[in-house]
Amino acid sequence: MTLDVNPMSPAGSEAKELKSARTRARILDAAARVLSEKGYAGTRLSDVAAVAELRSPAIYYYFDSRESLIEEVMWSGIAQMRQRLEAVLDAVGPEQTPMERIMIAVDTHLRHELEASAYTTASIRNAGQVPERIRTRHTDESQRYGAIWRDLVRAAADEGEIRPDLDLYMARMLVLGALNWAAEWWTSSRGSVDTVVATA
């Protein structure tokens, strides 16, 4: 036997909020998947609705436009990766050298990008495609993520683990560019993520 919950009661209100949060998350998950596969120009709300198993008009209850939905996915992708990398680096013991910390960051970046998050894949693949008006939060979060890498590279240089004649900004951007590009060319048919990480 099931019990009806009065939607006006505290329990009913909480249940409604939980259902709403789950539906919103489902829409975001679907949008991340579609955006990562079809790109900004090819992402249609009808496709997102189909993946989320909803009717298209339902999306407008949670997001006022296609752009606001994509903006949320783009920001979430880079924010998730930053939070993951911070957590991993915070857990690393002090015995790790700066270069070992960079290798840990490489591992974390690739695994998150290729295995863990369609949000991050969508964010990386579409960073140069979305219009400026919906890029602000993504850009700000990207700079926060880049600052982690800047500190990693600077620490390795200070310890003499990077050649002193190298431009540290160029080195960092080349490494991040190579890591991000893996989202474009890697598939499981080309080898495991373990192999990609080991090679990197």
Side-chain angles (χ1 to χ4, degrees), residues 129-151:
Q129 297 181 29
V130 297
E132 188 64 38
R133 66 182 180 275
I134 65 172
R135 200 184 302 165
T136 303
R137 272 207 310 164
H138 177 269
T139 299
D140 291 345
E141 194 62 47
S142 294
Q143 289 174 350
R144 293 177 69 188
Y145 184 69
I148 298 172
W149 281 87
R150 181 191 62 221
D151 292 345

PDB file of all heavy atoms in Angstrom, residues 129-151:
ATOM      1  N   GLN A 129      33.597  27.413 -29.397  1.00  0.00           N
ATOM      2  CA  GLN A 129      32.414  27.481 -30.254  1.00  0.00           C
ATOM      3  C   GLN A 129      31.295  28.336 -29.694  1.00  0.00           C
ATOM      4  O   GLN A 129      30.530  28.940 -30.448  1.00  0.00           O
ATOM      5  CB  GLN A 129      31.865  26.062 -30.505  1.00  0.00           C
ATOM      6  CG  GLN A 129      32.811  25.140 -31.242  1.00  0.00           C
ATOM      7  CD  GLN A 129      32.187  23.764 -31.462  1.00  0.00           C
ATOM      8  OE1 GLN A 129      30.970  23.627 -31.565  1.00  0.00           O
ATOM      9  NE2 GLN A 129      33.026  22.738 -31.523  1.00  0.00           N
ATOM     10  N   VAL A 130      31.175  28.370 -28.368  1.00  0.00           N
ATOM     11  CA  VAL A 130      30.043  29.092 -27.777  1.00  0.00           C
ATOM     12  C   VAL A 130      30.260  30.596 -27.893  1.00  0.00           C
ATOM     13  O   VAL A 130      31.390  31.081 -27.849  1.00  0.00           O
ATOM     14  CB  VAL A 130      29.836  28.698 -26.294  1.00  0.00           C
ATOM     15  CG1 VAL A 130      29.490  27.226 -26.174  1.00  0.00           C
ATOM     16  CG2 VAL A 130      31.059  29.032 -25.461  1.00  0.00           C
ATOM     17  N   PRO A 131      29.181  31.355 -28.054  1.00  0.00           N
ATOM     18  CA  PRO A 131      29.317  32.809 -28.175  1.00  0.00           C
ATOM     19  C   PRO A 131      29.791  33.456 -26.887  1.00  0.00           C
ATOM     20  O   PRO A 131      29.612  32.911 -25.795  1.00  0.00           O
ATOM     21  CB  PRO A 131      27.897  33.272 -28.544  1.00  0.00           C
ATOM     22  CG  PRO A 131      27.003  32.162 -28.129  1.00  0.00           C
ATOM     23  CD  PRO A 131      27.803  30.900 -28.212  1.00  0.00           C
ATOM     24  N   GLU A 132      30.381  34.609 -27.023  1.00  0.00           N
ATOM     25  CA  GLU A 132      30.983  35.309 -25.890  1.00  0.00           C
ATOM     26  C   GLU A 132      29.984  35.547 -24.766  1.00  0.00           C
ATOM     27  O   GLU A 132      30.336  35.483 -23.587  1.00  0.00           O
ATOM     28  CB  GLU A 132      31.559  36.652 -26.358  1.00  0.00           C
ATOM     29  CG  GLU A 132      32.371  37.385 -25.315  1.00  0.00           C
ATOM     30  CD  GLU A 132      33.628  36.635 -24.902  1.00  0.00           C
ATOM     31  OE1 GLU A 132      34.259  36.011 -25.771  1.00  0.00           O
ATOM     32  OE2 GLU A 132      33.967  36.677 -23.704  1.00  0.00           O
ATOM     33  N   ARG A 133      28.727  35.798 -25.090  1.00  0.00           N
ATOM     34  CA  ARG A 133      27.727  36.161 -24.079  1.00  0.00           C
ATOM     35  C   ARG A 133      27.457  35.040 -23.079  1.00  0.00           C
ATOM     36  O   ARG A 133      26.938  35.304 -21.992  1.00  0.00           O
ATOM     37  CB  ARG A 133      26.418  36.591 -24.746  1.00  0.00           C
ATOM     38  CG  ARG A 133      25.698  35.495 -25.491  1.00  0.00           C
ATOM     39  CD  ARG A 133      24.425  35.987 -26.180  1.00  0.00           C
ATOM     40  NE  ARG A 133      23.748  34.918 -26.904  1.00  0.00           N
ATOM     41  CZ  ARG A 133      24.038  34.552 -28.136  1.00  0.00           C
ATOM     42  NH1 ARG A 133      25.002  35.191 -28.799  1.00  0.00           N
ATOM     43  NH2 ARG A 133      23.377  33.564 -28.737  1.00  0.00           N
ATOM     44  N   ILE A 134      27.775  33.800 -23.451  1.00  0.00           N
ATOM     45  CA  ILE A 134      27.556  32.706 -22.496  1.00  0.00           C
ATOM     46  C   ILE A 134      28.870  32.051 -22.070  1.00  0.00           C
ATOM     47  O   ILE A 134      28.872  30.951 -21.526  1.00  0.00           O
ATOM     48  CB  ILE A 134      26.581  31.647 -23.051  1.00  0.00           C
ATOM     49  CG1 ILE A 134      27.158  30.921 -24.268  1.00  0.00           C
ATOM     50  CG2 ILE A 134      25.232  32.259 -23.374  1.00  0.00           C
ATOM     51  CD1 ILE A 134      26.309  29.737 -24.716  1.00  0.00           C
ATOM     52  N   ARG A 135      29.966  32.749 -22.330  1.00  0.00           N
ATOM     53  CA  ARG A 135      31.279  32.173 -22.040  1.00  0.00           C
ATOM     54  C   ARG A 135      31.902  32.710 -20.757  1.00  0.00           C
ATOM     55  O   ARG A 135      32.927  32.208 -20.296  1.00  0.00           O
ATOM     56  CB  ARG A 135      32.215  32.441 -23.222  1.00  0.00           C
ATOM     57  CG  ARG A 135      33.430  31.515 -23.273  1.00  0.00           C
ATOM     58  CD  ARG A 135      34.374  31.895 -24.396  1.00  0.00           C
ATOM     59  NE  ARG A 135      33.703  31.855 -25.684  1.00  0.00           N
ATOM     60  CZ  ARG A 135      34.197  32.415 -26.790  1.00  0.00           C
ATOM     61  NH1 ARG A 135      35.324  33.082 -26.734  1.00  0.00           N
ATOM     62  NH2 ARG A 135      33.548  32.327 -27.935  1.00  0.00           N
ATOM     63  N   THR A 136      31.304  33.713 -20.144  1.00  0.00           N
ATOM     64  CA  THR A 136      31.961  34.421 -19.041  1.00  0.00           C
ATOM     65  C   THR A 136      32.282  33.517 -17.859  1.00  0.00           C
ATOM     66  O   THR A 136      33.417  33.469 -17.381  1.00  0.00           O
ATOM     67  CB  THR A 136      31.091  35.595 -18.567  1.00  0.00           C
ATOM     68  OG1 THR A 136      30.837  36.449 -19.687  1.00  0.00           O
ATOM     69  CG2 THR A 136      31.798  36.388 -17.479  1.00  0.00           C
ATOM     70  N   ARG A 137      31.277  32.785 -17.358  1.00  0.00           N
ATOM     71  CA  ARG A 137      31.523  31.919 -16.192  1.00  0.00           C
ATOM     72  C   ARG A 137      32.512  30.823 -16.520  1.00  0.00           C
ATOM     73  O   ARG A 137      33.369  30.464 -15.700  1.00  0.00           O
ATOM     74  CB  ARG A 137      30.216  31.284 -15.703  1.00  0.00           C
ATOM     75  CG  ARG A 137      29.456  32.109 -14.711  1.00  0.00           C
ATOM     76  CD  ARG A 137      28.588  31.270 -13.785  1.00  0.00           C
ATOM     77  NE  ARG A 137      27.743  30.328 -14.474  1.00  0.00           N
ATOM     78  CZ  ARG A 137      27.139  29.305 -13.873  1.00  0.00           C
ATOM     79  NH1 ARG A 137      27.299  29.087 -12.590  1.00  0.00           N
ATOM     80  NH2 ARG A 137      26.361  28.483 -14.552  1.00  0.00           N
ATOM     81  N   HIS A 138      32.417  30.278 -17.737  1.00  0.00           N
ATOM     82  CA  HIS A 138      33.354  29.241 -18.168  1.00  0.00           C
ATOM     83  C   HIS A 138      34.771  29.793 -18.213  1.00  0.00           C
ATOM     84  O   HIS A 138      35.716  29.136 -17.755  1.00  0.00           O
ATOM     85  CB  HIS A 138      32.942  28.714 -19.545  1.00  0.00           C
ATOM     86  CG  HIS A 138      33.883  27.689 -20.097  1.00  0.00           C
ATOM     87  ND1 HIS A 138      34.968  28.020 -20.894  1.00  0.00           N
ATOM     88  CD2 HIS A 138      33.932  26.344 -19.958  1.00  0.00           C
ATOM     89  CE1 HIS A 138      35.617  26.923 -21.221  1.00  0.00           C
ATOM     90  NE2 HIS A 138      35.008  25.896 -20.665  1.00  0.00           N
ATOM     91  N   THR A 139      34.935  30.992 -18.740  1.00  0.00           N
ATOM     92  CA  THR A 139      36.260  31.610 -18.830  1.00  0.00           C
ATOM     93  C   THR A 139      36.840  31.851 -17.442  1.00  0.00           C
ATOM     94  O   THR A 139      38.016  31.565 -17.186  1.00  0.00           O
ATOM     95  CB  THR A 139      36.184  32.935 -19.610  1.00  0.00           C
ATOM     96  OG1 THR A 139      35.709  32.664 -20.942  1.00  0.00           O
ATOM     97  CG2 THR A 139      37.545  33.605 -19.688  1.00  0.00           C
ATOM     98  N   ASP A 140      36.022  32.368 -16.539  1.00  0.00           N
ATOM     99  CA  ASP A 140      36.487  32.619 -15.172  1.00  0.00           C
ATOM    100  C   ASP A 140      36.928  31.324 -14.496  1.00  0.00           C
ATOM    101  O   ASP A 140      37.967  31.276 -13.823  1.00  0.00           O
ATOM    102  CB  ASP A 140      35.388  33.279 -14.341  1.00  0.00           C
ATOM    103  CG  ASP A 140      35.090  34.703 -14.785  1.00  0.00           C
ATOM    104  OD1 ASP A 140      35.907  35.277 -15.538  1.00  0.00           O
ATOM    105  OD2 ASP A 140      34.037  35.229 -14.388  1.00  0.00           O
ATOM    106  N   GLU A 141      36.151  30.266 -14.683  1.00  0.00           N
ATOM    107  CA  GLU A 141      36.485  28.978 -14.066  1.00  0.00           C
ATOM    108  C   GLU A 141      37.728  28.385 -14.719  1.00  0.00           C
ATOM    109  O   GLU A 141      38.567  27.773 -14.051  1.00  0.00           O
ATOM    110  CB  GLU A 141      35.304  28.021 -14.184  1.00  0.00           C
ATOM    111  CG  GLU A 141      35.392  26.795 -13.302  1.00  0.00           C
ATOM    112  CD  GLU A 141      35.421  27.114 -11.822  1.00  0.00           C
ATOM    113  OE1 GLU A 141      34.609  27.916 -11.354  1.00  0.00           O
ATOM    114  OE2 GLU A 141      36.283  26.538 -11.126  1.00  0.00           O
ATOM    115  N   SER A 142      37.872  28.565 -16.024  1.00  0.00           N
ATOM    116  CA  SER A 142      39.069  28.085 -16.730  1.00  0.00           C
ATOM    117  C   SER A 142      40.320  28.759 -16.194  1.00  0.00           C
ATOM    118  O   SER A 142      41.378  28.129 -16.082  1.00  0.00           O
ATOM    119  CB  SER A 142      38.939  28.346 -18.232  1.00  0.00           C
ATOM    120  OG  SER A 142      37.905  27.583 -18.798  1.00  0.00           O
ATOM    121  N   GLN A 143      40.207  30.033 -15.874  1.00  0.00           N
ATOM    122  CA  GLN A 143      41.362  30.745 -15.321  1.00  0.00           C
ATOM    123  C   GLN A 143      41.731  30.216 -13.940  1.00  0.00           C
ATOM    124  O   GLN A 143      42.912  30.121 -13.593  1.00  0.00           O
ATOM    125  CB  GLN A 143      41.055  32.239 -15.280  1.00  0.00           C
ATOM    126  CG  GLN A 143      41.010  32.884 -16.659  1.00  0.00           C
ATOM    127  CD  GLN A 143      40.556  34.324 -16.636  1.00  0.00           C
ATOM    128  OE1 GLN A 143      40.079  34.834 -15.612  1.00  0.00           O
ATOM    129  NE2 GLN A 143      40.695  35.001 -17.763  1.00  0.00           N
ATOM    130  N   ARG A 144      40.727  29.852 -13.163  1.00  0.00           N
ATOM    131  CA  ARG A 144      40.998  29.264 -11.844  1.00  0.00           C
ATOM    132  C   ARG A 144      41.686  27.901 -12.005  1.00  0.00           C
ATOM    133  O   ARG A 144      42.607  27.572 -11.250  1.00  0.00           O
ATOM    134  CB  ARG A 144      39.702  29.099 -11.060  1.00  0.00           C
ATOM    135  CG  ARG A 144      39.034  30.401 -10.667  1.00  0.00           C
ATOM    136  CD  ARG A 144      37.723  30.170  -9.946  1.00  0.00           C
ATOM    137  NE  ARG A 144      37.929  29.595  -8.619  1.00  0.00           N
ATOM    138  CZ  ARG A 144      36.958  29.163  -7.837  1.00  0.00           C
ATOM    139  NH1 ARG A 144      35.703  29.201  -8.260  1.00  0.00           N
ATOM    140  NH2 ARG A 144      37.220  28.654  -6.649  1.00  0.00           N
ATOM    141  N   TYR A 145      41.230  27.135 -12.981  1.00  0.00           N
ATOM    142  CA  TYR A 145      41.856  25.837 -13.235  1.00  0.00           C
ATOM    143  C   TYR A 145      43.289  26.036 -13.740  1.00  0.00           C
ATOM    144  O   TYR A 145      44.217  25.349 -13.305  1.00  0.00           O
ATOM    145  CB  TYR A 145      41.033  25.045 -14.257  1.00  0.00           C
ATOM    146  CG  TYR A 145      41.556  23.655 -14.501  1.00  0.00           C
ATOM    147  CD1 TYR A 145      41.475  22.677 -13.517  1.00  0.00           C
ATOM    148  CD2 TYR A 145      42.128  23.302 -15.718  1.00  0.00           C
ATOM    149  CE1 TYR A 145      41.945  21.393 -13.726  1.00  0.00           C
ATOM    150  CE2 TYR A 145      42.605  22.023 -15.942  1.00  0.00           C
ATOM    151  CZ  TYR A 145      42.518  21.075 -14.943  1.00  0.00           C
ATOM    152  OH  TYR A 145      42.997  19.808 -15.163  1.00  0.00           O
ATOM    153  N   GLY A 146      43.464  26.986 -14.640  1.00  0.00           N
ATOM    154  CA  GLY A 146      44.802  27.274 -15.164  1.00  0.00           C
ATOM    155  C   GLY A 146      45.767  27.725 -14.089  1.00  0.00           C
ATOM    156  O   GLY A 146      46.970  27.446 -14.161  1.00  0.00           O
ATOM    157  N   ALA A 147      45.254  28.414 -13.073  1.00  0.00           N
ATOM    158  CA  ALA A 147      46.115  28.880 -11.985  1.00  0.00           C
ATOM    159  C   ALA A 147      46.712  27.714 -11.202  1.00  0.00           C
ATOM    160  O   ALA A 147      47.847  27.793 -10.711  1.00  0.00           O
ATOM    161  CB  ALA A 147      45.332  29.794 -11.055  1.00  0.00           C
ATOM    162  N   ILE A 148      45.956  26.620 -11.081  1.00  0.00           N
ATOM    163  CA  ILE A 148      46.498  25.429 -10.416  1.00  0.00           C
ATOM    164  C   ILE A 148      47.704  24.924 -11.199  1.00  0.00           C
ATOM    165  O   ILE A 148      48.751  24.610 -10.616  1.00  0.00           O
ATOM    166  CB  ILE A 148      45.420  24.327 -10.314  1.00  0.00           C
ATOM    167  CG1 ILE A 148      44.239  24.795  -9.473  1.00  0.00           C
ATOM    168  CG2 ILE A 148      46.026  23.048  -9.719  1.00  0.00           C
ATOM    169  CD1 ILE A 148      43.060  23.834  -9.478  1.00  0.00           C
ATOM    170  N   TRP A 149      47.564  24.836 -12.507  1.00  0.00           N
ATOM    171  CA  TRP A 149      48.656  24.370 -13.352  1.00  0.00           C
ATOM    172  C   TRP A 149      49.833  25.347 -13.352  1.00  0.00           C
ATOM    173  O   TRP A 149      50.991  24.925 -13.372  1.00  0.00           O
ATOM    174  CB  TRP A 149      48.148  24.133 -14.775  1.00  0.00           C
ATOM    175  CG  TRP A 149      47.418  22.832 -14.893  1.00  0.00           C
ATOM    176  CD1 TRP A 149      46.097  22.601 -14.657  1.00  0.00           C
ATOM    177  CD2 TRP A 149      47.992  21.570 -15.237  1.00  0.00           C
ATOM    178  NE1 TRP A 149      45.804  21.270 -14.842  1.00  0.00           N
ATOM    179  CE2 TRP A 149      46.953  20.615 -15.208  1.00  0.00           C
ATOM    180  CE3 TRP A 149      49.276  21.158 -15.591  1.00  0.00           C
ATOM    181  CZ2 TRP A 149      47.155  19.270 -15.504  1.00  0.00           C
ATOM    182  CZ3 TRP A 149      49.484  19.826 -15.882  1.00  0.00           C
ATOM    183  CH2 TRP A 149      48.433  18.897 -15.840  1.00  0.00           C
ATOM    184  N   ARG A 150      49.534  26.619 -13.316  1.00  0.00           N
ATOM    185  CA  ARG A 150      50.608  27.615 -13.258  1.00  0.00           C
ATOM    186  C   ARG A 150      51.460  27.402 -12.015  1.00  0.00           C
ATOM    187  O   ARG A 150      52.697  27.422 -12.075  1.00  0.00           O
ATOM    188  CB  ARG A 150      49.997  29.023 -13.233  1.00  0.00           C
ATOM    189  CG  ARG A 150      51.043  30.151 -13.208  1.00  0.00           C
ATOM    190  CD  ARG A 150      50.381  31.484 -12.907  1.00  0.00           C
ATOM    191  NE  ARG A 150      49.758  31.466 -11.585  1.00  0.00           N
ATOM    192  CZ  ARG A 150      48.575  32.006 -11.305  1.00  0.00           C
ATOM    193  NH1 ARG A 150      47.851  32.592 -12.238  1.00  0.00           N
ATOM    194  NH2 ARG A 150      48.104  31.947 -10.073  1.00  0.00           N
ATOM    195  N   ASP A 151      50.796  27.158 -10.876  1.00  0.00           N
ATOM    196  CA  ASP A 151      51.538  26.935  -9.628  1.00  0.00           C
ATOM    197  C   ASP A 151      52.328  25.625  -9.673  1.00  0.00           C
ATOM    198  O   ASP A 151      53.455  25.560  -9.152  1.00  0.00           O
ATOM    199  CB  ASP A 151      50.560  26.919  -8.446  1.00  0.00           C
ATOM    200  CG  ASP A 151      49.933  28.281  -8.196  1.00  0.00           C
ATOM    201  OD1 ASP A 151      50.435  29.291  -8.727  1.00  0.00           O
ATOM    202  OD2 ASP A 151      48.912  28.329  -7.474  1.00  0.00           O
TER     203      ASP A 151
END
